[in-house]
């Protein structure tokens, strides 16, 4: 039985698909959005539409930005010879929040996983190899999860990078 209208239930269902949110949390969020329609819901709609219209994937590293290349890849202040390989954009953003790494990034778009059927062809590995060949990369840092799949991905990348005459690991 629906406690709310069909449109509200559809919104609750969509919000509940976000990570870490179940139906109860989604219902509370939607209720708050509706209660604060002018101060919260309408600005959120505008911001989401703006992101949908303007954000794109960086053609070089895979980051999200309003420009491609992204502001990190285009920055003259970043160290060009150092490349940090991360699993996804969330990892890149986490590294940027701590403002420690001053090089550039490469987003793999996942990690190898036999259980999930993710193979090297599913990841941005060939783009990584091409980048290393095109750019003057002296150091590659693998910032991958400390999981079995993360370690398998790291070993695979190391074996691929060792095969390049450009790089010594």
């Amino acid at each position: 039985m629906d406690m709310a209208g069909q449109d509200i239930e559809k919104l609750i269902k969509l919000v509940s698909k976000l990570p870490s949110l179940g139906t109860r949390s989604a219902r509370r969020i939607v209720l708050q959005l509706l209660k604060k329609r002018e101060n919260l819901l309408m600005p959120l709609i505008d911001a989401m539409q703006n992101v949908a219209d303007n954000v794109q994937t960086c053609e070089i590293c895979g980051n999200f930005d309003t420009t491609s290349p992204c502001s990190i890849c285009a920055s003259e202040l970043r160290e060009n010879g150092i490349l940090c390989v991360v699993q996804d954009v969330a990892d890149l953003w986490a590294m940027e929040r701590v403002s420690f790494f001053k090089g550039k990034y490469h987003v793999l778009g996942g990690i190898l996983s036999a259980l999930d059927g993710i193979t090297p062809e599913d990841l941005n590995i060939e783009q990584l190899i091409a980048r290393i060949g095109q750019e003057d990369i002296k150091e590659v840092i693998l910032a991958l999860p400390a999981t079995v799949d993360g370690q398998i991905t790291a070993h695979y990348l190391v074996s691929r990078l060792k095969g390049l005459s450009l790089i010594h690991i």
Side-chain angles (χ1 to χ4, degrees):
M1 174 172 107
D2 287 345
M3 292 185 280
Q6 193 174 10
D7 291 338
I8 295 172
E9 288 299 325
K10 181 179 178 182
L11 182 56
I12 291 168
K13 190 175 263 186
L14 286 169
V15 171
S16 72
K17 290 181 180 184
L18 295 171
S20 304
L21 293 180
T23 305
R24 289 179 63 196
S25 296
R27 193 172 300 283
R28 286 193 297 271
I29 289 168
V30 169
L31 189 57
Q32 280 302 315
L33 289 170
L34 292 171
K35 284 180 179 178
K36 299 181 181 191
R37 190 174 307 213
E38 290 304 313
N39 294 332
L40 197 56
L41 179 61
M42 299 313 288
L44 180 63
I45 290 169
D46 289 342
M48 291 177 81
Q49 187 62 58
N50 191 35
V51 166
D53 291 343
N54 298 310
V55 172
Q56 52 192 303
T57 303
C58 177
E59 62 202 37
I60 297 173
C61 74
N63 188 19
F64 294 130
D65 203 334
T66 55
T67 61
S68 183
C70 70
S71 57
I72 294 172
C73 287
S75 175
E76 297 290 326
L77 302 174
R78 306 299 290 218
E79 291 183 43
N80 289 321
I82 303 174
L83 196 60
C84 181
V85 178
V86 294
Q87 178 179 346
D88 58 37
V89 174
D91 301 318
L92 186 156
W93 289 358
M95 300 259 309
E96 282 299 289
R97 272 195 305 276
V98 296
S99 301
F100 178 72
F101 181 68
K102 299 300 180 200
K104 295 191 177 179
Y105 297 94
H106 186 84
V107 178
L108 284 178
I111 54 174
L112 298 174
S113 174
L115 289 176
D116 296 326
I118 300 173
T119 66
E121 293 75 29
D122 298 318
L123 304 177
N124 296 325
I125 295 172
E126 293 309 316
Q127 295 90 325
L128 171 64
I129 303 299
R131 254 184 105 178
I132 291 170
Q134 294 163 358
E135 298 176 25
D136 190 24
I137 304 297
K138 302 278 190 249
E139 181 178 355
V140 176
I141 300 167
L142 301 178
L144 300 173
T147 62
V148 171
D149 288 343
Q151 289 178 356
I152 289 169
T153 305
H155 286 296
Y156 178 82
L157 290 173
V158 166
S159 70
R160 288 291 308 272
L161 296 176
K162 275 185 181 176
L164 299 176
S165 59
L166 306 166
I167 193 161
H168 303 285
I169 299 174

